Amino acid sequence: MMKIKEIKAKHLNTEKFIEEKVLEIRQAVGGGLAVNALSGGVDSSVVTALGHKALGKRLKTYFIDNGIMRQNEPVMVAAQFKKMGIHVEVLDSSKAFFSALKGITDPEEKREAITQTFYKKIFRGLVVKSKARHLLQGTILTDIDETVAGIKRQHNVFEQLGIDPQAAFGYKILEPLIQLRKDGVRKLGRALGLPDSIFNRIPFPGPALAARVIGEVTPAKIHIVRKATLITESELANTRAFQYMAILHADRVTGLRDNKRVFGNQIEIRCWNSLDARTASPTRLSFKVLEKISGRIIKEIPEVVSVTYHIATKPPSTIEAV
Ligand code: XMP
């Protein structure tokens, strides 16, 4: 593999970098079209802003709504970019994702179903339909390291799209952030005028709320965990913890609703202290804060009768439950 020359954040001259990359992207794309998928995460947001600076309307940006995002996420992300003069097309693909997830309970199989649906079904269709010859990707140096170390699955987009690059001659992937790490990407994003709200968010996993539902992922379960997530994120926003979340358990527990015994759902709250997500410990939330979250969840989500707080460290626990 070709050695990639790292640019450390402290050495990154954003003005010069933007100028160079804009030129490179323009030269590569020529008079044609390019396409990219925006998730709202830092890397894809920065590559979207950079790509539009280079290509304007000749870059088609899609936000693929997989139906397992947080409350209002697609609308919020599209609105954020609209303010910057960038049109993002939101594509409702929730049916495809829920049908791919149907009946699957194994965590890795769930992740695989989401990846396959994204690349092979939805994004591949878009790339082919758009007639774009270039894909813009927010791959960063850490992704390459993790691929080489076998931590992440191969980042070969052609393969993931089910495209034989030879047969589809002409398709090119542009990865303008590949020399940077996260801190460099943040610095670049600020220089490109992206709002702070994009950088201030806590980490959120690619498989989205499917990583927060133990067992089979259904629209009904996503509905419950989405509401619990909204409550948890708003109540814990001031903790400055590394990451916090609500998880929907597969087990049911007995509860009482309107003086009747019901077999209800159980939500688990997690709130982590961590530097790099490799190790983590639970935050010592005050009982008052915990009671507030629990009170809101059982009041606002009638399907839930039990709320617990996770107190084990990572390892052996992991940050997500799936
Ligand atoms: P774990 O659960 O492995 O998580 O302790 C470590 C960090 O990675 C995030 N995470 C993921 N991110 N795809 C992602 O893009 C995934 O499948 C995934 N699983 C976990 C998690 O939110 C935490 O910040």
Side-chain angles (χ1 to χ4, degrees):
M1 193 200 277
M2 208 178 69
K3 183 102 177 79
I4 299 159
K5 196 168 169 281
E6 176 173 358
I7 303 174
K8 292 232 159 71
K10 61 177 180 214
H11 297 136
L12 174 68
N13 177 338
T14 50
E15 213 173 303
K16 193 169 140 246
F17 186 89
I18 292 168
E19 207 174 290
E20 270 174 28
K21 293 299 160 189
V22 161
L23 252 174
E24 274 176 35
I25 295 168
R26 280 188 191 147
Q27 270 167 1
V29 176
L33 290 176
V35 64
N36 82 311
L38 169 69
S39 70
V42 173
D43 305 339
S44 76
S45 294
V46 171
V47 98
T48 298
L50 186 63
H52 276 269
K53 198 170 173 72
L55 302 172
K57 286 198 163 59
R58 286 189 298 123
L59 173 63
K60 303 277 171 225
T61 299
Y62 294 96
F63 185 101
I64 295 167
D65 179 2
N66 53 17
I68 50 178
M69 305 266 179
R70 281 172 288 184
Q71 181 87 32
N72 251 337
E73 187 79 7
V75 173
M76 226 167 62
V77 174
Q80 236 165 7
F81 278 85
K82 193 173 174 203
K83 272 194 215 148
M84 293 184 279
I86 295 173
H87 175 71
V88 175
E89 188 147 334
V90 178
L91 196 77
D92 179 4
S93 315
S94 48
K95 279 208 183 97
F97 283 90
F98 280 121
S99 91
L101 285 163
K102 205 172 160 93
I104 302 180
T105 53
D106 180 79
E108 281 309 308
E109 282 177 31
K110 282 196 309 205
R111 287 196 167 80
E112 187 62 17
I114 293 165
T115 307
Q116 294 293 329
T117 307
F118 179 83
Y119 282 109
K120 289 241 173 84
K121 195 157 179 189
I122 309 296
F123 196 45
R124 185 187 202 281
L126 276 180
V127 171
V128 173
K129 204 181 83 187
S130 72
K131 299 203 164 58
R133 282 274 171 267
H134 292 83
L135 305 183
L136 220 63
Q137 271 236 123
T139 319
I140 67 172
L141 200 49
T142 317
D143 297 331
I144 304 291
D145 293 346
E146 288 181 349
T147 302
V148 174
I151 298 168
K152 258 190 196 168
R153 238 172 278 142
Q154 189 66 30
H155 245 85
N156 182 339
V157 174
F158 278 127
E159 208 172 280
Q160 284 169 329
L161 287 175
I163 291 173
D164 173 1
Q166 228 118 43
F169 175 73
Y171 270 105
K172 285 231 169 69
I173 304 207
L174 303 176
E175 295 175 316
L177 311 181
I178 201 117
Q179 291 167 279
L180 308 178
R181 296 197 187 269
K182 210 65 153 195
D183 47 355
V185 176
R186 284 176 205 271
K187 190 169 161 184
L188 181 63
R190 292 218 165 79
L192 283 162
L194 288 174
D196 256 6
S197 53
I198 286 179
F199 307 106
N200 291 340
R201 302 182 82 183
I202 52 172
F204 189 73
L209 296 174
R212 311 267 167 90
V213 171
I214 300 176
E216 189 188 4
V217 176
T218 63
K221 289 185 182 179
I222 289 293
H223 180 73
I224 295 174
V225 85
R226 180 180 283 135
K227 286 206 274 186
T229 301
L230 187 66
I231 295 168
T232 306
E233 287 194 354
S234 78
E235 293 300 330
L236 296 182
N238 293 329
T239 58
R240 303 181 65 191
F242 176 79
Q243 200 171 355
Y244 33 86
M245 64 199 64
I247 289 151
L248 176 62
H249 282 207
D251 288 342
R252 299 288 189 108
V253 290
T254 298
L256 282 173
R257 282 273 182 206
D258 305 320
N259 295 322
K260 273 199 221 84
R261 286 169 79 85
V262 290
F263 213 38
N265 288 281
Q266 194 168 201
I267 287 283
E268 175 188 322
I269 306 298
R270 294 182 175 200
C271 182
W272 296 105
N273 285 325
S274 178
L275 286 176
D276 55 12
R278 278 187 283 201
T279 60
S281 57
T283 306
R284 293 190 176 194
L285 292 179
S286 77
F287 220 84
K288 202 170 143 208
V289 169
L290 288 168
E291 277 174 334
K292 175 106 185 283
I293 299 175
S294 165
R296 279 194 61 192
I297 287 176
I298 52 180
K299 180 160 173 263
E300 296 172 37
I301 315 176
E303 296 92 335
V304 177
V305 297
S306 162
V307 179
T308 60
Y309 185 56
H310 178 87
I311 52 170
T313 55
K314 172 183 178 175
S317 192
T318 53
I319 289 183
E320 305 288 346
V322 170

